[in-house]
Amino acid sequence: MKKILLRFLGLIGILILAFCWIILNPKPAFAQLNTINYNNINLENRDFSHADLAGVTFVAAEMRGTNFQGANLTNAILTKGVLLKANLEGANLSGALVDRATMDGANLKNAIFTEATLTRSRFFDAEITGADFTDALIDRYQVSLMCERADGVNPVTSMSTRDSLGCK
C-alpha cells in the first residue's frame, strides 16, 4: 500500500511540474516566430535577391519574373506558386515545400533543392545547370524531362545535377 501511495504521489508531482512548465513556457514546439506570410499575393517582378526568407510562406502566390537570386528559402513553403520565368539562380531551397508549383522557364541555375518536396511541380524549359536535387521528391516524369538537359555541378554542394536527379 505504501508503494502505491508513493507512486501516486510521484505521478501527481510529475503532472504538476509538467503543468507548470506548460504555463511558464507557452511557445508551441513547431511555431516560428516572426514568420512572414505572402499567401495569395501578387509578387510579380518583385526583387527578393539575396534575402533571408527561411521558413516564409508563399502559398498560391503569383511570382512571375520574381528575382530570388541568391536568396535563402530553406524550409520555405511555395505550394501552388506560379514562378514562370522567375530567377532562383543560386537560391537555397533546402527542405522547401514546392509542391504543385509552376516553374516553366525559370532560372534554377546553381539552386539547391536538397530534401525539398517538388511533387506535381512543372519545370518545362527551366534552366537547371548546376542545380542540386539531392534527396528531393520529384515526379518521375519531370525527372525524365530534366535528365534530358541536366548538366553542370553545383558550386556550393559540389554535386552534379545529373547525379542529384539520378539520371542514367
Side-chain angles (χ1 to χ4, degrees):
M1 186 67 160
K2 190 174 183 181
K3 283 184 177 182
I4 294 173
L5 182 60
L6 286 174
R7 284 186 182 176
F8 180 72
L9 290 175
L11 180 63
I12 295 296
I14 290 171
L15 290 173
I16 289 172
L17 288 173
F19 179 75
C20 289
W21 181 76
I22 290 170
I23 295 299
L24 297 175
N25 188 14
K27 292 182 223 167
F30 296 107
Q32 294 179 355
L33 299 176
N34 302 321
T35 300
I36 299 171
N37 179 334
Y38 289 112
N39 296 347
N40 298 305
I41 293 179
N42 186 346
L43 300 171
E44 196 167 344
N45 298 315
R46 291 274 302 266
D47 186 9
F48 291 103
S49 59
H50 306 286
D52 185 4
L53 302 167
V56 173
T57 61
F58 295 91
V59 176
E62 175 66 51
M63 298 173 277
R64 293 171 195 256
T66 299
N67 185 7
F68 289 105
Q69 183 174 4
N72 177 12
L73 290 158
T74 56
N75 300 315
I77 301 172
L78 291 93
T79 298
K80 295 183 181 179
V82 178
L83 292 141
L84 295 169
K85 298 186 179 178
N87 182 8
L88 290 117
E89 183 172 342
N92 186 350
L93 290 102
S94 298
L97 181 61
V98 195
D99 63 315
R100 297 173 282 166
T102 305
M103 294 196 197
D104 298 351
N107 179 2
L108 307 177
K109 186 176 181 182
N110 298 325
I112 302 170
F113 287 95
T114 57
E115 299 180 358
T117 301
L118 304 162
T119 52
R120 296 180 60 197
S121 292
R122 293 180 11 177
F123 301 92
F124 299 128
D125 298 323
E127 170 63 56
I128 61 170
T129 302
D132 183 354
F133 296 97
T134 303
D135 296 326
L137 295 173
I138 311 169
D139 297 333
R140 286 184 188 180
Y141 177 69
Q142 289 298 318
V143 169
S144 67
L145 292 176
M146 288 193 288
C147 281
E148 292 175 7
R149 62 184 191 280
D151 191 25
V153 175
N154 188 281
V156 176
T157 65
S158 300
M159 176 63 81
S160 95
T161 301
R162 291 190 64 76
D163 289 344
S164 71
L165 285 168
C167 302
K168 295 179 183 179

PDB file of all heavy atoms in Angstrom, residues 92-130:
ATOM      1  N   ASN A  92      18.889  28.941 -52.174  1.00  0.00           N
ATOM      2  CA  ASN A  92      18.912  27.728 -51.352  1.00  0.00           C
ATOM      3  C   ASN A  92      17.482  27.402 -50.932  1.00  0.00           C
ATOM      4  O   ASN A  92      16.895  28.109 -50.123  1.00  0.00           O
ATOM      5  CB  ASN A  92      19.792  27.920 -50.123  1.00  0.00           C
ATOM      6  CG  ASN A  92      19.955  26.650 -49.320  1.00  0.00           C
ATOM      7  OD1 ASN A  92      19.284  25.645 -49.554  1.00  0.00           O
ATOM      8  ND2 ASN A  92      20.852  26.682 -48.352  1.00  0.00           N
ATOM      9  N   LEU A  93      16.936  26.316 -51.504  1.00  0.00           N
ATOM     10  CA  LEU A  93      15.588  25.862 -51.190  1.00  0.00           C
ATOM     11  C   LEU A  93      15.631  24.515 -50.467  1.00  0.00           C
ATOM     12  O   LEU A  93      14.726  23.693 -50.600  1.00  0.00           O
ATOM     13  CB  LEU A  93      14.740  25.767 -52.460  1.00  0.00           C
ATOM     14  CG  LEU A  93      14.384  27.107 -53.089  1.00  0.00           C
ATOM     15  CD1 LEU A  93      15.253  27.404 -54.276  1.00  0.00           C
ATOM     16  CD2 LEU A  93      12.939  27.167 -53.455  1.00  0.00           C
ATOM     17  N   SER A  94      16.657  24.285 -49.688  1.00  0.00           N
ATOM     18  CA  SER A  94      16.780  23.026 -48.947  1.00  0.00           C
ATOM     19  C   SER A  94      15.582  22.852 -48.016  1.00  0.00           C
ATOM     20  O   SER A  94      15.226  23.765 -47.273  1.00  0.00           O
ATOM     21  CB  SER A  94      18.054  23.009 -48.111  1.00  0.00           C
ATOM     22  OG  SER A  94      19.186  23.093 -48.939  1.00  0.00           O
ATOM     23  N   GLY A  95      14.954  21.681 -48.102  1.00  0.00           N
ATOM     24  CA  GLY A  95      13.819  21.377 -47.239  1.00  0.00           C
ATOM     25  C   GLY A  95      12.552  22.138 -47.570  1.00  0.00           C
ATOM     26  O   GLY A  95      11.569  22.052 -46.837  1.00  0.00           O
ATOM     27  N   ALA A  96      12.536  22.872 -48.666  1.00  0.00           N
ATOM     28  CA  ALA A  96      11.363  23.675 -49.022  1.00  0.00           C
ATOM     29  C   ALA A  96      10.222  22.793 -49.530  1.00  0.00           C
ATOM     30  O   ALA A  96      10.439  21.720 -50.083  1.00  0.00           O
ATOM     31  CB  ALA A  96      11.726  24.707 -50.084  1.00  0.00           C
ATOM     32  N   LEU A  97       9.013  23.255 -49.352  1.00  0.00           N
ATOM     33  CA  LEU A  97       7.814  22.592 -49.867  1.00  0.00           C
ATOM     34  C   LEU A  97       7.369  23.373 -51.093  1.00  0.00           C
ATOM     35  O   LEU A  97       6.838  24.479 -50.980  1.00  0.00           O
ATOM     36  CB  LEU A  97       6.718  22.557 -48.806  1.00  0.00           C
ATOM     37  CG  LEU A  97       5.408  21.882 -49.194  1.00  0.00           C
ATOM     38  CD1 LEU A  97       5.633  20.415 -49.553  1.00  0.00           C
ATOM     39  CD2 LEU A  97       4.411  21.992 -48.055  1.00  0.00           C
ATOM     40  N   VAL A  98       7.653  22.810 -52.279  1.00  0.00           N
ATOM     41  CA  VAL A  98       7.382  23.490 -53.540  1.00  0.00           C
ATOM     42  C   VAL A  98       6.467  22.590 -54.383  1.00  0.00           C
ATOM     43  O   VAL A  98       6.688  22.393 -55.561  1.00  0.00           O
ATOM     44  CB  VAL A  98       8.698  23.795 -54.299  1.00  0.00           C
ATOM     45  CG1 VAL A  98       8.466  24.813 -55.420  1.00  0.00           C
ATOM     46  CG2 VAL A  98       9.762  24.332 -53.359  1.00  0.00           C
ATOM     47  N   ASP A  99       5.459  22.020 -53.761  1.00  0.00           N
ATOM     48  CA  ASP A  99       4.575  21.109 -54.485  1.00  0.00           C
ATOM     49  C   ASP A  99       3.539  21.892 -55.283  1.00  0.00           C
ATOM     50  O   ASP A  99       3.146  22.984 -54.905  1.00  0.00           O
ATOM     51  CB  ASP A  99       3.900  20.122 -53.532  1.00  0.00           C
ATOM     52  CG  ASP A  99       2.989  20.787 -52.525  1.00  0.00           C
ATOM     53  OD1 ASP A  99       3.387  21.803 -51.945  1.00  0.00           O
ATOM     54  OD2 ASP A  99       1.866  20.277 -52.322  1.00  0.00           O
ATOM     55  N   ARG A 100       3.170  21.322 -56.418  1.00  0.00           N
ATOM     56  CA  ARG A 100       2.164  21.895 -57.329  1.00  0.00           C
ATOM     57  C   ARG A 100       2.541  23.303 -57.803  1.00  0.00           C
ATOM     58  O   ARG A 100       1.676  24.126 -58.079  1.00  0.00           O
ATOM     59  CB  ARG A 100       0.781  21.878 -56.685  1.00  0.00           C
ATOM     60  CG  ARG A 100       0.287  20.470 -56.409  1.00  0.00           C
ATOM     61  CD  ARG A 100      -0.975  20.443 -55.633  1.00  0.00           C
ATOM     62  NE  ARG A 100      -0.625  20.702 -54.224  1.00  0.00           N
ATOM     63  CZ  ARG A 100      -1.484  21.014 -53.297  1.00  0.00           C
ATOM     64  NH1 ARG A 100      -2.749  21.107 -53.573  1.00  0.00           N
ATOM     65  NH2 ARG A 100      -1.091  21.228 -52.055  1.00  0.00           N
ATOM     66  N   ALA A 101       3.832  23.570 -57.885  1.00  0.00           N
ATOM     67  CA  ALA A 101       4.306  24.876 -58.359  1.00  0.00           C
ATOM     68  C   ALA A 101       4.610  24.811 -59.855  1.00  0.00           C
ATOM     69  O   ALA A 101       4.948  23.762 -60.380  1.00  0.00           O
ATOM     70  CB  ALA A 101       5.553  25.293 -57.589  1.00  0.00           C
ATOM     71  N   THR A 102       4.501  25.946 -60.520  1.00  0.00           N
ATOM     72  CA  THR A 102       4.814  26.043 -61.942  1.00  0.00           C
ATOM     73  C   THR A 102       6.083  26.872 -62.092  1.00  0.00           C
ATOM     74  O   THR A 102       6.093  28.056 -61.793  1.00  0.00           O
ATOM     75  CB  THR A 102       3.645  26.719 -62.701  1.00  0.00           C
ATOM     76  OG1 THR A 102       2.455  26.001 -62.422  1.00  0.00           O
ATOM     77  CG2 THR A 102       3.902  26.718 -64.188  1.00  0.00           C
ATOM     78  N   MET A 103       7.156  26.194 -62.550  1.00  0.00           N
ATOM     79  CA  MET A 103       8.452  26.855 -62.710  1.00  0.00           C
ATOM     80  C   MET A 103       8.890  26.851 -64.162  1.00  0.00           C
ATOM     81  O   MET A 103      10.081  26.824 -64.449  1.00  0.00           O
ATOM     82  CB  MET A 103       9.494  26.164 -61.841  1.00  0.00           C
ATOM     83  CG  MET A 103       9.241  26.295 -60.380  1.00  0.00           C
ATOM     84  SD  MET A 103      10.722  25.874 -59.476  1.00  0.00           S
ATOM     85  CE  MET A 103      10.046  25.618 -57.883  1.00  0.00           C
ATOM     86  N   ASP A 104       7.958  26.886 -65.079  1.00  0.00           N
ATOM     87  CA  ASP A 104       8.281  26.884 -66.506  1.00  0.00           C
ATOM     88  C   ASP A 104       9.125  28.109 -66.857  1.00  0.00           C
ATOM     89  O   ASP A 104       8.790  29.238 -66.483  1.00  0.00           O
ATOM     90  CB  ASP A 104       7.009  26.881 -67.354  1.00  0.00           C
ATOM     91  CG  ASP A 104       6.163  25.638 -67.132  1.00  0.00           C
ATOM     92  OD1 ASP A 104       6.635  24.703 -66.460  1.00  0.00           O
ATOM     93  OD2 ASP A 104       5.023  25.611 -67.637  1.00  0.00           O
ATOM     94  N   GLY A 105      10.242  27.873 -67.542  1.00  0.00           N
ATOM     95  CA  GLY A 105      11.107  28.956 -67.978  1.00  0.00           C
ATOM     96  C   GLY A 105      11.889  29.630 -66.860  1.00  0.00           C
ATOM     97  O   GLY A 105      12.531  30.649 -67.080  1.00  0.00           O
ATOM     98  N   ALA A 106      11.865  29.053 -65.659  1.00  0.00           N
ATOM     99  CA  ALA A 106      12.569  29.662 -64.520  1.00  0.00           C
ATOM    100  C   ALA A 106      14.072  29.414 -64.613  1.00  0.00           C
ATOM    101  O   ALA A 106      14.520  28.434 -65.190  1.00  0.00           O
ATOM    102  CB  ALA A 106      12.026  29.109 -63.213  1.00  0.00           C
ATOM    103  N   ASN A 107      14.850  30.311 -64.029  1.00  0.00           N
ATOM    104  CA  ASN A 107      16.294  30.150 -63.947  1.00  0.00           C
ATOM    105  C   ASN A 107      16.616  29.505 -62.599  1.00  0.00           C
ATOM    106  O   ASN A 107      16.567  30.154 -61.564  1.00  0.00           O
ATOM    107  CB  ASN A 107      16.994  31.500 -64.067  1.00  0.00           C
ATOM    108  CG  ASN A 107      18.503  31.392 -63.957  1.00  0.00           C
ATOM    109  OD1 ASN A 107      19.057  30.303 -63.835  1.00  0.00           O
ATOM    110  ND2 ASN A 107      19.179  32.529 -63.977  1.00  0.00           N
ATOM    111  N   LEU A 108      16.935  28.198 -62.638  1.00  0.00           N
ATOM    112  CA  LEU A 108      17.271  27.451 -61.430  1.00  0.00           C
ATOM    113  C   LEU A 108      18.759  27.120 -61.390  1.00  0.00           C
ATOM    114  O   LEU A 108      19.185  26.233 -60.664  1.00  0.00           O
ATOM    115  CB  LEU A 108      16.451  26.156 -61.370  1.00  0.00           C
ATOM    116  CG  LEU A 108      14.931  26.304 -61.517  1.00  0.00           C
ATOM    117  CD1 LEU A 108      14.256  24.953 -61.503  1.00  0.00           C
ATOM    118  CD2 LEU A 108      14.366  27.204 -60.444  1.00  0.00           C
ATOM    119  N   LYS A 109      19.542  27.855 -62.156  1.00  0.00           N
ATOM    120  CA  LYS A 109      20.980  27.596 -62.252  1.00  0.00           C
ATOM    121  C   LYS A 109      21.623  27.691 -60.865  1.00  0.00           C
ATOM    122  O   LYS A 109      21.439  28.678 -60.146  1.00  0.00           O
ATOM    123  CB  LYS A 109      21.625  28.604 -63.205  1.00  0.00           C
ATOM    124  CG  LYS A 109      23.076  28.341 -63.475  1.00  0.00           C
ATOM    125  CD  LYS A 109      23.629  29.312 -64.506  1.00  0.00           C
ATOM    126  CE  LYS A 109      25.086  28.998 -64.771  1.00  0.00           C
ATOM    127  NZ  LYS A 109      25.673  29.928 -65.720  1.00  0.00           N
ATOM    128  N   ASN A 110      22.353  26.616 -60.498  1.00  0.00           N
ATOM    129  CA  ASN A 110      23.077  26.523 -59.229  1.00  0.00           C
ATOM    130  C   ASN A 110      22.184  26.616 -57.992  1.00  0.00           C
ATOM    131  O   ASN A 110      22.673  26.862 -56.887  1.00  0.00           O
ATOM    132  CB  ASN A 110      24.189  27.574 -59.144  1.00  0.00           C
ATOM    133  CG  ASN A 110      25.224  27.392 -60.230  1.00  0.00           C
ATOM    134  OD1 ASN A 110      25.539  26.273 -60.616  1.00  0.00           O
ATOM    135  ND2 ASN A 110      25.756  28.488 -60.738  1.00  0.00           N
ATOM    136  N   ALA A 111      20.877  26.419 -58.148  1.00  0.00           N
ATOM    137  CA  ALA A 111      19.970  26.411 -56.998  1.00  0.00           C
ATOM    138  C   ALA A 111      20.134  25.106 -56.226  1.00  0.00           C
ATOM    139  O   ALA A 111      20.541  24.083 -56.776  1.00  0.00           O
ATOM    140  CB  ALA A 111      18.524  26.566 -57.457  1.00  0.00           C
ATOM    141  N   ILE A 112      19.821  25.142 -54.941  1.00  0.00           N
ATOM    142  CA  ILE A 112      19.937  23.966 -54.083  1.00  0.00           C
ATOM    143  C   ILE A 112      18.536  23.559 -53.626  1.00  0.00           C
ATOM    144  O   ILE A 112      17.849  24.326 -52.955  1.00  0.00           O
ATOM    145  CB  ILE A 112      20.844  24.251 -52.866  1.00  0.00           C
ATOM    146  CG1 ILE A 112      22.227  24.680 -53.327  1.00  0.00           C
ATOM    147  CG2 ILE A 112      20.919  23.029 -51.956  1.00  0.00           C
ATOM    148  CD1 ILE A 112      23.121  25.201 -52.219  1.00  0.00           C
ATOM    149  N   PHE A 113      18.136  22.343 -54.019  1.00  0.00           N
ATOM    150  CA  PHE A 113      16.820  21.798 -53.681  1.00  0.00           C
ATOM    151  C   PHE A 113      16.970  20.534 -52.838  1.00  0.00           C
ATOM    152  O   PHE A 113      16.131  19.651 -52.899  1.00  0.00           O
ATOM    153  CB  PHE A 113      16.044  21.450 -54.952  1.00  0.00           C
ATOM    154  CG  PHE A 113      15.537  22.629 -55.725  1.00  0.00           C
ATOM    155  CD1 PHE A 113      16.269  23.137 -56.790  1.00  0.00           C
ATOM    156  CD2 PHE A 113      14.336  23.233 -55.402  1.00  0.00           C
ATOM    157  CE1 PHE A 113      15.804  24.223 -57.519  1.00  0.00           C
ATOM    158  CE2 PHE A 113      13.862  24.313 -56.122  1.00  0.00           C
ATOM    159  CZ  PHE A 113      14.594  24.811 -57.184  1.00  0.00           C
ATOM    160  N   THR A 114      18.024  20.404 -52.048  1.00  0.00           N
ATOM    161  CA  THR A 114      18.229  19.180 -51.270  1.00  0.00           C
ATOM    162  C   THR A 114      17.083  18.978 -50.287  1.00  0.00           C
ATOM    163  O   THR A 114      16.674  19.905 -49.599  1.00  0.00           O
ATOM    164  CB  THR A 114      19.568  19.208 -50.507  1.00  0.00           C
ATOM    165  OG1 THR A 114      19.607  20.363 -49.675  1.00  0.00           O
ATOM    166  CG2 THR A 114      20.748  19.219 -51.453  1.00  0.00           C
ATOM    167  N   GLU A 115      16.550  17.754 -50.294  1.00  0.00           N
ATOM    168  CA  GLU A 115      15.458  17.343 -49.406  1.00  0.00           C
ATOM    169  C   GLU A 115      14.203  18.196 -49.569  1.00  0.00           C
ATOM    170  O   GLU A 115      13.379  18.283 -48.654  1.00  0.00           O
ATOM    171  CB  GLU A 115      15.923  17.304 -47.956  1.00  0.00           C
ATOM    172  CG  GLU A 115      17.045  16.312 -47.726  1.00  0.00           C
ATOM    173  CD  GLU A 115      17.519  16.261 -46.293  1.00  0.00           C
ATOM    174  OE1 GLU A 115      17.016  17.016 -45.441  1.00  0.00           O
ATOM    175  OE2 GLU A 115      18.416  15.451 -46.022  1.00  0.00           O
ATOM    176  N   ALA A 116      14.037  18.825 -50.716  1.00  0.00           N
ATOM    177  CA  ALA A 116      12.831  19.614 -50.982  1.00  0.00           C
ATOM    178  C   ALA A 116      11.733  18.708 -51.537  1.00  0.00           C
ATOM    179  O   ALA A 116      12.006  17.665 -52.119  1.00  0.00           O
ATOM    180  CB  ALA A 116      13.136  20.729 -51.982  1.00  0.00           C
ATOM    181  N   THR A 117      10.497  19.112 -51.362  1.00  0.00           N
ATOM    182  CA  THR A 117       9.360  18.387 -51.916  1.00  0.00           C
ATOM    183  C   THR A 117       8.872  19.166 -53.134  1.00  0.00           C
ATOM    184  O   THR A 117       8.383  20.290 -53.001  1.00  0.00           O
ATOM    185  CB  THR A 117       8.232  18.246 -50.876  1.00  0.00           C
ATOM    186  OG1 THR A 117       8.746  17.561 -49.741  1.00  0.00           O
ATOM    187  CG2 THR A 117       7.054  17.481 -51.447  1.00  0.00           C
ATOM    188  N   LEU A 118       9.028  18.550 -54.318  1.00  0.00           N
ATOM    189  CA  LEU A 118       8.701  19.207 -55.582  1.00  0.00           C
ATOM    190  C   LEU A 118       7.643  18.402 -56.350  1.00  0.00           C
ATOM    191  O   LEU A 118       7.601  18.453 -57.573  1.00  0.00           O
ATOM    192  CB  LEU A 118       9.967  19.356 -56.427  1.00  0.00           C
ATOM    193  CG  LEU A 118      11.122  20.109 -55.761  1.00  0.00           C
ATOM    194  CD1 LEU A 118      12.435  19.831 -56.451  1.00  0.00           C
ATOM    195  CD2 LEU A 118      10.830  21.585 -55.728  1.00  0.00           C
ATOM    196  N   THR A 119       6.807  17.670 -55.649  1.00  0.00           N
ATOM    197  CA  THR A 119       5.821  16.817 -56.310  1.00  0.00           C
ATOM    198  C   THR A 119       4.771  17.648 -57.032  1.00  0.00           C
ATOM    199  O   THR A 119       4.390  18.729 -56.580  1.00  0.00           O
ATOM    200  CB  THR A 119       5.126  15.893 -55.292  1.00  0.00           C
ATOM    201  OG1 THR A 119       4.618  16.672 -54.213  1.00  0.00           O
ATOM    202  CG2 THR A 119       6.096  14.856 -54.742  1.00  0.00           C
ATOM    203  N   ARG A 120       4.351  17.117 -58.182  1.00  0.00           N
ATOM    204  CA  ARG A 120       3.348  17.737 -59.043  1.00  0.00           C
ATOM    205  C   ARG A 120       3.737  19.155 -59.483  1.00  0.00           C
ATOM    206  O   ARG A 120       2.878  19.970 -59.799  1.00  0.00           O
ATOM    207  CB  ARG A 120       1.975  17.717 -58.366  1.00  0.00           C
ATOM    208  CG  ARG A 120       1.469  16.304 -58.164  1.00  0.00           C
ATOM    209  CD  ARG A 120       0.132  16.225 -57.508  1.00  0.00           C
ATOM    210  NE  ARG A 120      -0.886  16.909 -58.295  1.00  0.00           N
ATOM    211  CZ  ARG A 120      -2.049  17.275 -57.821  1.00  0.00           C
ATOM    212  NH1 ARG A 120      -2.354  17.023 -56.577  1.00  0.00           N
ATOM    213  NH2 ARG A 120      -2.922  17.893 -58.586  1.00  0.00           N
ATOM    214  N   SER A 121       5.032  19.445 -59.473  1.00  0.00           N
ATOM    215  CA  SER A 121       5.526  20.736 -59.955  1.00  0.00           C
ATOM    216  C   SER A 121       6.033  20.579 -61.380  1.00  0.00           C
ATOM    217  O   SER A 121       6.403  19.489 -61.793  1.00  0.00           O
ATOM    218  CB  SER A 121       6.649  21.248 -59.051  1.00  0.00           C
ATOM    219  OG  SER A 121       6.130  21.586 -57.784  1.00  0.00           O
ATOM    220  N   ARG A 122       6.043  21.687 -62.134  1.00  0.00           N
ATOM    221  CA  ARG A 122       6.473  21.668 -63.538  1.00  0.00           C
ATOM    222  C   ARG A 122       7.731  22.490 -63.721  1.00  0.00           C
ATOM    223  O   ARG A 122       7.865  23.573 -63.146  1.00  0.00           O
ATOM    224  CB  ARG A 122       5.375  22.250 -64.430  1.00  0.00           C
ATOM    225  CG  ARG A 122       4.143  21.421 -64.487  1.00  0.00           C
ATOM    226  CD  ARG A 122       3.066  22.001 -65.355  1.00  0.00           C
ATOM    227  NE  ARG A 122       3.482  23.117 -66.191  1.00  0.00           N
ATOM    228  CZ  ARG A 122       2.692  23.714 -67.062  1.00  0.00           C
ATOM    229  NH1 ARG A 122       1.460  23.302 -67.216  1.00  0.00           N
ATOM    230  NH2 ARG A 122       3.119  24.721 -67.775  1.00  0.00           N
ATOM    231  N   PHE A 123       8.630  21.959 -64.579  1.00  0.00           N
ATOM    232  CA  PHE A 123       9.916  22.601 -64.836  1.00  0.00           C
ATOM    233  C   PHE A 123      10.183  22.720 -66.334  1.00  0.00           C
ATOM    234  O   PHE A 123      11.326  22.670 -66.751  1.00  0.00           O
ATOM    235  CB  PHE A 123      11.042  21.786 -64.186  1.00  0.00           C
ATOM    236  CG  PHE A 123      10.895  21.623 -62.709  1.00  0.00           C
ATOM    237  CD1 PHE A 123      10.231  20.518 -62.181  1.00  0.00           C
ATOM    238  CD2 PHE A 123      11.400  22.561 -61.840  1.00  0.00           C
ATOM    239  CE1 PHE A 123      10.095  20.359 -60.821  1.00  0.00           C
ATOM    240  CE2 PHE A 123      11.267  22.412 -60.468  1.00  0.00           C
ATOM    241  CZ  PHE A 123      10.604  21.310 -59.957  1.00  0.00           C
ATOM    242  N   PHE A 124       9.160  22.872 -67.163  1.00  0.00           N
ATOM    243  CA  PHE A 124       9.345  22.940 -68.609  1.00  0.00           C
ATOM    244  C   PHE A 124      10.213  24.137 -68.971  1.00  0.00           C
ATOM    245  O   PHE A 124       9.972  25.263 -68.514  1.00  0.00           O
ATOM    246  CB  PHE A 124       8.001  23.010 -69.345  1.00  0.00           C
ATOM    247  CG  PHE A 124       7.121  21.816 -69.098  1.00  0.00           C
ATOM    248  CD1 PHE A 124       5.817  21.975 -68.685  1.00  0.00           C
ATOM    249  CD2 PHE A 124       7.601  20.522 -69.257  1.00  0.00           C
ATOM    250  CE1 PHE A 124       5.002  20.882 -68.453  1.00  0.00           C
ATOM    251  CE2 PHE A 124       6.801  19.417 -69.023  1.00  0.00           C
ATOM    252  CZ  PHE A 124       5.500  19.594 -68.621  1.00  0.00           C
ATOM    253  N   ASP A 125      11.247  23.884 -69.768  1.00  0.00           N
ATOM    254  CA  ASP A 125      12.179  24.917 -70.235  1.00  0.00           C
ATOM    255  C   ASP A 125      12.888  25.663 -69.104  1.00  0.00           C
ATOM    256  O   ASP A 125      13.408  26.762 -69.318  1.00  0.00           O
ATOM    257  CB  ASP A 125      11.467  25.926 -71.151  1.00  0.00           C
ATOM    258  CG  ASP A 125      10.909  25.272 -72.400  1.00  0.00           C
ATOM    259  OD1 ASP A 125      11.570  24.354 -72.938  1.00  0.00           O
ATOM    260  OD2 ASP A 125       9.813  25.661 -72.835  1.00  0.00           O
ATOM    261  N   ALA A 126      12.938  25.090 -67.917  1.00  0.00           N
ATOM    262  CA  ALA A 126      13.669  25.720 -66.809  1.00  0.00           C
ATOM    263  C   ALA A 126      15.164  25.457 -66.981  1.00  0.00           C
ATOM    264  O   ALA A 126      15.568  24.377 -67.394  1.00  0.00           O
ATOM    265  CB  ALA A 126      13.185  25.179 -65.469  1.00  0.00           C
ATOM    266  N   GLU A 127      15.976  26.440 -66.665  1.00  0.00           N
ATOM    267  CA  GLU A 127      17.445  26.313 -66.713  1.00  0.00           C
ATOM    268  C   GLU A 127      17.878  25.643 -65.416  1.00  0.00           C
ATOM    269  O   GLU A 127      17.707  26.220 -64.336  1.00  0.00           O
ATOM    270  CB  GLU A 127      18.078  27.697 -66.839  1.00  0.00           C
ATOM    271  CG  GLU A 127      19.582  27.721 -66.654  1.00  0.00           C
ATOM    272  CD  GLU A 127      20.322  26.924 -67.717  1.00  0.00           C
ATOM    273  OE1 GLU A 127      20.118  27.208 -68.908  1.00  0.00           O
ATOM    274  OE2 GLU A 127      21.089  26.030 -67.341  1.00  0.00           O
ATOM    275  N   ILE A 128      18.398  24.407 -65.506  1.00  0.00           N
ATOM    276  CA  ILE A 128      18.752  23.657 -64.297  1.00  0.00           C
ATOM    277  C   ILE A 128      20.246  23.362 -64.190  1.00  0.00           C
ATOM    278  O   ILE A 128      20.656  22.574 -63.340  1.00  0.00           O
ATOM    279  CB  ILE A 128      17.947  22.341 -64.213  1.00  0.00           C
ATOM    280  CG1 ILE A 128      18.245  21.437 -65.405  1.00  0.00           C
ATOM    281  CG2 ILE A 128      16.464  22.612 -64.057  1.00  0.00           C
ATOM    282  CD1 ILE A 128      17.695  20.035 -65.275  1.00  0.00           C
ATOM    283  N   THR A 129      21.079  24.005 -64.986  1.00  0.00           N
ATOM    284  CA  THR A 129      22.517  23.764 -64.950  1.00  0.00           C
ATOM    285  C   THR A 129      23.068  24.032 -63.547  1.00  0.00           C
ATOM    286  O   THR A 129      22.879  25.116 -62.993  1.00  0.00           O
ATOM    287  CB  THR A 129      23.242  24.669 -65.969  1.00  0.00           C
ATOM    288  OG1 THR A 129      22.723  24.405 -67.267  1.00  0.00           O
ATOM    289  CG2 THR A 129      24.740  24.415 -65.959  1.00  0.00           C
ATOM    290  N   GLY A 130      23.723  23.025 -62.988  1.00  0.00           N
ATOM    291  CA  GLY A 130      24.334  23.162 -61.670  1.00  0.00           C
ATOM    292  C   GLY A 130      23.377  23.060 -60.499  1.00  0.00           C
ATOM    293  O   GLY A 130      23.806  23.165 -59.347  1.00  0.00           O
TER     294      GLY A 130
END
